[in-house]
């Protein structure tokens, strides 16, 4: 009797110890990930708010705490006017982009339009390109005095005055809407493809026509997705720097994002004011994201997937086939074809001429720019950032998704929230926070500060795509591996990570595209040693050298194109799923 009691005690003690070790191991991962995400995501925002109540930077011994900058930004008329213009313009851009996106989504998802797959790739193609390069191209095309379209209209048709003025409030709004249409299109298109088409079929059987069915059945069902798209575009537009800055800055349309840059790039430098403007822009974006998340949750309630093989009835366009195709081609013409024709024209001519036929084409411009040591360094920096940022972003996204979905770690809801938090933070605001966070560290002024900024900004996109891929994997496959004696790591390596590979590659390509074309955060953190091509192009434009800015823009586009080619044809990534 005593022997059995002793044996029981000796077995129980190691059991309790092993449970304690498992408990500690269970806490280690969420604590490590939570700490890393806090430093990457939350700390820059907190320090930005702290910087807004100081009279100088943290390294300035004379700096004191003061509410002067916040009071100036939140209460004075110039900033309130800029706030009103930013919000009003963003709402208008969202409205225009959503109207166009809805029309394009309906045409491509519910009609028998020709070459549907090609058309869809054309519609989402602007996502692969830099909005700043597009704005630069439209500056060449439609500036009031020297714009190619205006000059040609005067020479060929004798039209006096300006027919298109992109350096105006109207021009800025239309160009921003033009490059935000794909976001609205993809959100609405996804809802249309996911809804139950039997409801539309019932409407047709009861005698309703095409437009009556679309108005009374289709639009009400996808209304939450439309609202979601509206506020997503609103948040993106509020934090947009490149387009309003390239098309006239504060003269054409005062924008909060442009004011942040001007505060730290022009004398007198006022870092505190930049931080204060960043906090104001942060609150606006946070409100927009709250509406977006609410609309996204509601949208999922209205999406019903039918049994496999059930296809929606396609509306026959008949005589409307040509106008529908023309509508899509006009969008592609305005967003891609015309801008890049202008870029190539300026880049390969010795001077800008009013007559394209009389222009002297040459490669000397490219040779001169490529021969610049600073340009060569910026190309290397761009490639380095474009490879490191998505790699680290995807690695972090895999760890978070696996911890949340498979390990079921404690605090997984908190990890999910922090990982998605940067959605609410525009790039220019994150750049401000990163500046305040790393100003006193060795990373400041190096390429690593850009990598940190990009990883923090784009972790939501990588994490959400990988998380979605992981949700779609049947757990029985992993359970079978565990039953056969496979460890967590062995199961993850041999089964989970193999099955989510398409989602991982899609996430990598998406973050690569964003990293190469990013300018909002990069321009605040740029130094002579870490300039990337987007910042180099902006610098040339600031000094009035449009030709060199154009060449840099084309180099940036070439890198983007090479990455997309590798993703599409080498890695076999379905790019429409990566954006």
């Amino acid at each position: 009797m005593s022997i059995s009691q002793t044996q029981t005690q000796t077995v129980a003690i190691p059991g309790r110890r092993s449970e304690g070790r498992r408990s500690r191991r269970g806490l280690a991962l969420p604590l490590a990930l939570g700490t890393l995400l806090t430093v990457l995501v939350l700390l820059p925002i907190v320090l930005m708010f702290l910087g807004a109540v100081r009279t100088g930077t943290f390294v300035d011994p004379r700096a004191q705490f003061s509410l002067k900058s916040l009071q100036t930004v939140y209460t004075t008329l110039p900033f309130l006017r800029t706030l009103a213009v930013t919000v009003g313009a963003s709402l208008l851009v969202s409205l225009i982009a959503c109207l166009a996106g809805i029309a394009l989504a309906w045409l491509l998802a519910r009609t028998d339009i020709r070459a549907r797959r090609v058309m869809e790739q054309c519609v989402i193609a602007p996502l692969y390109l830099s909005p700043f390069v597009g704005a630069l191209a439209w500056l060449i095309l439609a500036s009031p005095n020297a714009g190619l379209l205006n000059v040609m209209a005067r020479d060929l048709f004798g039209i006096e005055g300006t027919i298109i003025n992109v350096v105006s409030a109207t021009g800025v709004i239309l160009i921003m809407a033009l490059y935000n249409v794909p976001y609205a299109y993809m959100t609405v298109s996804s809802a249309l493809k996911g809804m139950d088409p039997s409801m539309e079929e019932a409407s047709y059987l009861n005698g309703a026509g095409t437009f009556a069915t679309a108005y009374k059945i289709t639009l009400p069902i996808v209304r939450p997705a439309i609202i979601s798209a509206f506020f997503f575009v609103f948040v993106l537009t509020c934090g947009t720097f490149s387009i309003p800055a390239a098309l006239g800055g504060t003269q054409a349309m005062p924008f909060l994002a442009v004011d942040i840059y001007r505060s730290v790039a022009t004398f007198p430098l006022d870092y505190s004011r930049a931080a204060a403007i960043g906090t104001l822009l942060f609150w606006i974006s946070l409100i927009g994201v709250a509406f977006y998340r609410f609309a996204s949750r509601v949208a999922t309630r209205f999406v019903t997937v039918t049994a496999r093989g059930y296809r929606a009835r396609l509306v026959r366009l008949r005589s409307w086939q040509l106008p529908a195709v023309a509508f899509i081609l006009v969008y592609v013409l305005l967003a891609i074809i015309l801008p890049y024709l202008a870029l190539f024209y300026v880049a390969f001519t010795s001077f800008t001429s009013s007559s394209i036929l009389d222009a002297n084409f040459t490669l000397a411009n490219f040779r001169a720019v490529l021969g610049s040591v600073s340009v060569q360094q910026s190309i290397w920096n761009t490639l380095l950032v474009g490879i490191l940022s998505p790699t680290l972003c995807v690695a972090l996204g895999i760890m978070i998704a696996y911890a949340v979905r498979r390990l079921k770690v404690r605090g997984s809801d908190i990890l999910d929230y922090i990982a998605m938090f940067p959605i609410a933070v525009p790039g220019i605001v994150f750049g401000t926070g990163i500046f305040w966070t790393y100003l006193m560290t060795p990373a400041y002024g190096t390429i690593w500060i850009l990598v940190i900024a990009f990883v923090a900004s784009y972790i939501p996109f990588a994490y959400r795509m990988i998380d979605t891929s992981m949700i779609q994997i049947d757990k029985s496959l992993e359970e079978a591996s565990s039953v056969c004696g496979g460890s967590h790591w062995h199961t993850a390596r041999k089964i989970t990570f193999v099955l989510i590979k398409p989602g991982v590659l899609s996430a990598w390509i998406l973050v690569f595209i964003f990293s190469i074309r990013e300018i909002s955060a990069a321009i605040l953190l740029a130094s002579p040693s870490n300039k990337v091509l987007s910042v180099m192009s902006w610098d040339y434009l600031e000094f009035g050298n449009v030709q060199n800015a154009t060449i840099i823009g084309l180099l940036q586009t070439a890198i983007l194109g090479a990455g997309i080619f590798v993703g599409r044809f080498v890695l076999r990534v379905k790019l429409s799923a990566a954006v």
Side-chain angles (χ1 to χ4, degrees):
M1 186 72 176
S2 60
I3 295 174
S4 63
Q5 290 176 348
T6 305
Q7 290 174 342
T8 302
Q9 290 175 355
T10 57
V11 173
I13 291 173
R16 286 195 293 268
R17 288 177 179 176
S18 62
E19 289 176 0
R21 286 196 295 269
R22 284 197 298 268
S23 177
R24 287 193 294 272
R25 285 199 299 268
L27 287 173
L29 182 61
L31 284 175
L33 290 175
T35 302
L36 180 59
L37 286 176
T38 299
V39 173
L40 274 176
V41 174
L42 299 183
L43 185 61
I45 302 302
V46 171
L47 292 183
M48 180 187 68
F49 274 87
L50 186 61
V53 295
R54 288 178 60 87
T55 58
T57 63
F58 296 130
V59 296
D60 187 354
R62 298 169 299 177
Q64 299 176 346
F65 286 97
S66 171
L67 296 176
K68 182 180 179 181
S69 294
L70 283 177
Q71 183 179 4
T72 300
V73 170
Y74 280 75
T75 61
T76 58
L77 187 59
F79 287 101
L80 291 178
R81 177 176 174 269
T82 303
L83 170 63
V85 171
T86 300
V87 173
S90 299
L91 290 173
L92 192 54
V93 167
S94 300
L95 178 62
I96 297 172
C98 284
L99 289 175
I102 293 169
L104 290 168
W106 186 81
L107 283 173
L108 292 173
R110 284 293 185 269
T111 70
D112 64 343
I113 192 169
R114 296 170 185 169
R116 182 181 291 103
R117 291 184 180 179
V118 175
M119 291 293 180
E120 183 174 32
Q121 292 300 318
C122 290
V123 168
I124 66 175
L127 288 178
Y128 308 144
L129 307 174
S130 168
F132 173 71
V133 175
L136 174 62
W138 274 102
L139 185 65
I140 296 169
L141 282 168
S143 58
N145 297 321
L148 294 178
L149 295 178
N150 291 318
V151 172
M152 292 176 65
R154 287 195 293 266
D155 293 344
L156 297 178
F157 305 105
I159 299 175
E160 296 297 331
T162 301
I163 59 170
I164 305 176
N165 182 13
V166 77
V167 188
S168 63
T170 302
V172 173
I173 289 173
L174 291 177
I175 297 302
M176 284 195 291
L178 185 70
Y179 288 101
N180 278 295
V181 166
Y183 295 107
Y185 163 79
M186 295 196 70
T187 303
V188 178
S189 176
S190 177
L192 285 173
K193 294 174 181 177
M195 67 174 283
D196 188 348
S198 63
M199 290 177 278
E200 295 172 310
E201 190 70 26
S203 175
Y204 291 131
L205 291 175
N206 282 280
T210 300
F211 291 103
T213 300
Y215 180 72
K216 294 183 178 180
I217 304 295
T218 309
L219 285 180
I221 292 176
V222 300
R223 185 183 296 129
I226 294 172
I227 297 173
S228 175
F230 181 91
F231 283 107
F232 184 69
V233 174
F234 171 80
V235 171
L236 290 178
T237 307
C238 280
T240 296
F241 163 79
S242 57
I243 295 177
L247 301 179
T250 56
Q251 289 75 29
M253 175 174 287
F255 241 67
L256 289 175
V258 180
D259 281 353
I260 292 176
Y261 170 73
R262 298 299 181 194
S263 297
V264 299
T266 58
F267 290 98
L269 303 180
D270 196 334
Y271 298 105
S272 178
R273 186 176 66 187
I277 300 171
T279 63
L280 180 59
L281 191 54
F282 171 79
W283 293 125
I284 299 170
S285 300
L286 196 63
I287 294 171
V289 167
F291 281 106
Y292 163 71
R293 290 178 68 91
F294 174 77
S296 297
R297 286 195 297 268
V298 173
T300 58
R301 303 176 189 173
F302 292 86
V303 176
T304 54
V305 181
T306 61
R308 295 181 180 179
Y310 194 100
R311 297 184 61 185
R313 177 191 291 187
L314 297 180
V315 176
R316 294 184 179 181
L317 292 175
R318 295 187 177 89
S319 60
W320 289 94
Q321 184 78 233
L322 185 59
V325 173
F327 174 64
I328 297 176
L329 292 181
V330 166
Y331 170 72
V332 176
L333 178 71
L334 295 176
I336 301 176
I337 297 175
L338 266 182
Y340 277 90
L341 285 177
L343 292 175
F344 277 105
Y345 171 72
V346 172
F348 287 100
T349 55
S350 56
F351 60 92
T352 302
S353 171
S354 60
S355 175
I356 296 178
L357 296 178
D358 294 338
N360 296 319
F361 291 91
T362 177
L363 293 174
N365 305 326
F366 260 96
R367 294 194 190 100
V369 171
L370 290 175
S372 170
V373 175
S374 59
V375 172
Q376 293 172 2
Q377 182 63 42
S378 68
I379 294 174
W380 168 250
N381 290 338
T382 301
L383 292 172
L384 191 61
V385 169
I387 293 173
L388 288 177
S389 298
T391 302
L392 295 175
C393 212
V394 164
L396 185 56
I398 292 173
M399 287 191 290
I400 299 171
Y402 192 78
V404 171
R405 298 298 173 186
R406 290 298 184 263
L407 300 182
K408 302 292 184 181
V409 298
R410 298 176 185 180
S412 59
D413 291 341
I414 298 175
L415 287 178
D416 179 84
Y417 182 82
I418 298 176
M420 294 302 297
F421 186 77
I423 286 274
V425 187
I428 196 87
V429 175
F430 233 122
T432 306
I434 293 291
F435 169 82
W436 283 93
T437 304
Y438 295 94
L439 181 62
M440 297 180 292
T441 67
Y444 185 76
T446 68
I447 199 68
W448 293 106
I449 195 170
L450 296 183
V451 173
I452 293 170
F454 292 172
V455 170
S457 296
Y458 300 132
I459 184 61
F461 301 96
Y463 164 62
R464 185 55 69 204
M465 293 185 70
I466 295 170
D467 182 63
T468 301
S469 298
M470 200 167 291
I471 290 174
Q472 294 173 348
I473 298 175
D474 191 343
K475 291 184 180 179
S476 63
L477 298 173
E478 296 163 308
E479 291 170 355
S481 174
S482 300
V483 169
C484 292
S487 64
H488 263 308
W489 168 241
H490 180 82
T491 301
R493 184 166 54 90
K494 294 293 185 178
I495 295 177
T496 310
F497 296 158
V498 173
L499 293 176
I500 66 172
K501 183 179 177 181
V504 170
L505 293 176
S506 296
W508 196 96
I509 291 296
L510 179 63
V511 178
F512 170 82
I513 292 170
F514 286 163
S515 300
I516 296 297
R517 72 180 204 175
E518 171 63 32
I519 186 173
S520 298
I523 201 165
L524 291 180
L525 304 172
S527 69
S529 62
N530 72 352
K531 282 186 180 179
V532 290
L533 286 174
S534 57
V535 176
M536 184 68 68
S537 182
W538 167 258
D539 287 345
Y540 278 127
L541 182 62
E542 279 275 85
F543 286 104
N545 194 334
V546 177
Q547 192 168 60
N548 283 7
T550 298
I551 294 172
I552 297 297
L554 289 176
L555 290 174
Q556 183 183 1
T557 303
I559 294 176
L560 276 171
I564 293 168
F565 178 84
V566 171
R568 177 67 180 85
F569 297 103
V570 178
L571 302 178
R572 302 294 181 182
V573 174
K574 187 179 179 181
L575 294 178
S576 59
V579 289

